[in-house]
């Protein structure tokens, strides 16, 4: 035994045994935890998002969540796509004031004078689908600005439309507008 310890073979075997026992215990604990979650009804599959349901400030309260059956029927009837590409992230808490020139949009230097055009694109997309009952509006744009945090261009455009009552077309447009955040 003394010879084993002196040449290092005993310490290596001991470390190997400890590592395997630790791995075994960790695996048993993880398996027990996952089994517990499954019995609690926790789902590991992502749910599709029509639009964000989080409160982000004034002008972002969902007055009434969309009816799922009605919305799916509307989408099935859509034959045309209206795509509004996002170009900026709104970082303010009040989407009702997003059309003010001093509002907190993250704009690159060359975009500073383009904010009215971006807002006109949002309004035009809503107005087009209000006229065309077979059109689906997609606000497209991801989380492109680090300083914008976890808010996307698409979300910003959707919430601006919602805060402005879909520019007078809320009943016609809201359930046919979605966000696409992975372009």
């Amino acid at each position: 035994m003394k010879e084993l310890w002196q040449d290092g073979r005993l310490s290596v075997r001991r470390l190997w045994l400890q590592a395997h026992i630790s791995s075994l215990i960790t695996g048993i604990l993880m398996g027990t935890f996952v089994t517990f979650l499954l019995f609690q009804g926790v789902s590991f599959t992502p749910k599709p998002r029509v639009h964000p349901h989080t409160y982000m400030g004034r002008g972002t309260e969902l007055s009434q969540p969309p009816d799922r059956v009605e919305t799916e029927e509307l989408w099935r009837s859509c034959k045309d796509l209206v795509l509004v590409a996002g170009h900026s992230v709104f970082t303010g808490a009040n989407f009702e004031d997003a059309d003010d020139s001093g509002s907190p949009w993250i704009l690159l230097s060359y975009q500073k004078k383009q904010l009215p055009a971006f807002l006109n694109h949002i309004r035009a997309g809503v107005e087009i689908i209000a006229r065309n009952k077979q059109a689906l509006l997609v606000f497209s744009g991801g989380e492109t600005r680090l300083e914008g945090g976890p808010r996307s261009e698409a979300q910003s455009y959707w919430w601006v439309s919602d805060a402005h009552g879909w520019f007078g077309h809320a009943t016609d447009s809201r359930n046919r507008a979605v966000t696409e955040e992975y372009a």
Side-chain angles (χ1 to χ4, degrees), residues 50-51 66 70-71 74-75 78 82 122-139 157-158 161-162 164-179:
V50 174
H51 49 71
E70 179 184 323
T71 301
L74 280 172
W75 290 2
C78 289
V82 177
I122 296 170
R123 178 186 290 267
V126 171
E127 290 176 351
I128 290 169
I129 68 163
R131 288 190 307 266
N132 181 351
K133 304 299 182 208
Q134 293 185 322
L136 177 70
L137 174 60
V138 177
F139 291 118
Y157 283 29
W158 194 96
S161 299
D162 198 60
H164 286 85
W166 296 90
F167 306 101
H169 306 287
T171 56
D172 298 326
S173 305
R174 186 176 195 207
N175 289 346
R176 288 184 292 125
V178 297
T179 61

Side-chain angles (χ1 to χ4, degrees), residues 80-99:
D80 299 316
L81 175 70
V82 177
L83 180 68
V84 176
H87 297 288
S88 184
V89 176
F90 182 77
T91 59
N94 183 2
F95 284 82
E96 293 167 340
D97 294 335
D99 53 353

Side-chain angles (χ1 to χ4, degrees), residues 68-78:
R68 183 180 189 97
V69 174
E70 179 184 323
T71 301
E72 288 176 356
E73 287 175 17
L74 280 172
W75 290 2
R76 276 193 288 276
S77 70
C78 289

